[in-house]
Amino acid sequence: SRWLAFKNKQLDFINMPQSFIKQALPGGKLAPDLAAEGIRVQRAVDPEYTYTYFQWTDPVWGGLELPKVALRRAIAHAINRDEEIEIIRKGNAKRAEFIIPEGVVGHQAGYKSGVSYNPALANALLDKFGYTKGTDGYRNTPDGKPFIFRYTSTPIAIERELDELYKKNMDAIGIRYEAEKEKFADSIKREKRCQIMIRGAAWMADYPDGDNFTQLLYSKNIGESNNGCYKSPAYDKLYEQSAVLPDGPERDKLYLEMQKQFEADTPWVLGVTRYRNQMVYPWVLGYKRHPVLLANWMYYDINMGK
């Protein structure tokens, strides 16, 4: 409905709905019919990322014991982010590699995560640490008990598509998948009490500094922004050192150490950073997307003679 309203000139500009990206921007270029209307497109990478967290207090998924770390790492290697980007997000995203995203002070552009899609490695990890398959073809914990990957999300179209992808990815490594649907507000309430097993989340910069993202994993933020209730003395020590430093090489070195600790523990699986495509009619004057500020409408003007 938003897209139709924009095309009917009932809206002056729009954040391009993902489902129409390939129609509006074929090959990454503005469609000829839109260009003929004088429409401009502003495309930018948002200072944000998505992630999938594991509940640190969960007896199967949480904790620093090696078999549990191996289980989470196996999941990280099993999720096909490239397929998510191409099919579900219509090419409108890129892989998130670092715990501080692009466009935020402290981001390290040359960094490539050691975690990539590799189901063969995922299966090897699970075999090595005792997650053997039962007669039904699904794996059990090292002590022989069945377990599930219960993914909590809202009942909307894109989450149903992610359910299909994740189930396929989990089936490929022999892990039972269960989709749990509930209202967003209910998930937030349970999340703050450390009651959700596995859930997808996203964080967009409140302010463009690395601390706004590294604090998501700080144990003293459990019940607030640390959604997976991750608790690591090693990470906490690094975070506390970084929090009192200004931007610069010394803090960047700590951020790199925090990234390594994050990958070693795998409390989350980093997801994607999304592109924002904004379509603007020519009568909107002074429009330029701000990378962080959301209330920038006060700087625009309208001249219908344009």
Side-chain angles (χ1 to χ4, degrees):
S1 59
R2 284 185 293 126
W3 177 234
L4 291 174
F6 177 76
K7 292 194 74 175
N8 290 332
K9 302 179 181 178
Q10 295 169 322
L11 296 175
D12 299 312
F13 70 93
I14 188 174
N15 289 324
M16 188 66 213
Q18 183 170 284
S19 53
F20 293 97
I21 287 293
K22 291 192 174 181
Q23 175 184 329
L25 294 168
K29 296 183 178 180
L30 191 64
D33 62 316
L34 300 178
E37 294 280 356
I39 291 170
R40 310 188 307 275
V41 60
Q42 294 193 11
R43 179 175 172 87
V45 177
D46 270 339
E48 56 99 59
Y49 50 59
T50 66
Y51 61 96
T52 301
Y53 69 75
F54 304 97
Q55 178 50 246
W56 204 250
T57 64
D58 187 88
V60 171
W61 295 97
L64 289 169
E65 298 92 336
L66 277 180
K68 295 177 180 180
V69 174
L71 174 59
R72 296 191 299 270
R73 178 61 67 90
I75 300 300
H77 285 300
I79 294 176
N80 191 339
R81 292 296 183 199
D82 291 337
E83 186 173 340
E84 174 188 342
I85 290 168
E86 179 59 30
I87 297 175
I88 299 177
R89 301 192 183 275
K90 318 298 184 190
N92 197 42
K94 60 191 294 187
R95 291 180 62 91
E97 302 275 359
F98 198 69
I99 54 172
I100 300 167
E102 185 176 335
V104 176
V105 174
H107 173 70
Q108 299 190 21
Y111 185 84
K112 294 296 180 184
S113 172
V115 179
S116 60
Y117 177 58
N118 190 335
L121 179 56
N123 274 306
L125 275 170
L126 294 169
D127 290 341
K128 179 177 180 178
F129 284 90
Y131 293 91
T132 55
K133 292 182 180 179
T135 56
D136 60 357
Y138 287 105
R139 295 182 183 274
N140 298 317
T141 59
D143 59 0
K145 297 178 181 178
F147 69 100
I148 59 174
F149 182 108
R150 182 186 296 116
Y151 183 78
T152 301
S153 64
T154 53
I156 60 175
I158 191 170
E159 292 291 359
R160 287 191 287 270
E161 292 182 86
L162 286 169
D163 283 331
E164 292 178 11
L165 174 65
Y166 291 167
K167 185 179 188 309
K168 180 172 71 173
N169 294 161
M170 293 306 104
D171 283 346
I173 60 172
I175 290 181
R176 302 167 186 85
Y177 183 85
E178 179 182 302
E180 178 182 60
K181 300 297 180 188
E182 67 180 1
K183 294 179 180 178
F184 179 77
D186 293 337
S187 290
I188 295 300
K189 289 177 184 177
R190 291 204 298 134
E191 185 172 78
K192 302 311 178 191
R193 297 193 291 264
C194 304
Q195 293 175 342
I196 291 180
M197 180 186 288
I198 301 166
R199 181 172 178 263
W203 192 269
M204 186 171 182
D206 299 299
Y207 50 94
D209 187 82
D211 182 78
N212 191 222
F213 288 85
T214 56
Q215 58 88 23
L216 298 174
L217 294 154
Y218 185 42
S219 69
K220 291 185 179 179
N221 287 336
I222 291 174
E224 297 178 7
S225 55
N226 184 344
N227 295 329
C229 305
Y230 171 57
K231 187 179 291 186
S232 162
Y235 184 92
D236 283 355
K237 182 178 179 180
L238 292 167
Y239 174 77
E240 288 168 357
Q241 291 172 349
S242 72
V244 297
L245 292 176
D247 173 39
E250 187 178 358
R251 192 176 70 158
D252 285 347
K253 184 178 179 180
L254 287 171
Y255 283 162
L256 182 59
E257 291 302 311
M258 292 158 79
Q259 173 73 25
K260 292 177 180 178
Q261 188 65 50
F262 165 79
E263 289 188 13
D265 295 343
T266 319
W268 303 345
V269 182
L270 277 172
V272 303
T273 294
R274 295 163 289 190
Y275 293 104
R276 186 181 297 269
N277 301 279
Q278 297 188 317
M279 303 285 185
V280 189
Y281 275 107
W283 55 78
V284 179
L285 307 182
Y287 182 84
K288 184 176 181 180
R289 180 187 175 276
H290 193 283
V292 176
L293 182 66
L294 299 178
N296 49 342
W297 50 267
M298 65 189 77
Y299 302 113
Y300 311 155
D301 204 352
I302 298 292
N303 185 344
M304 297 305 292
K306 290 285 184 180

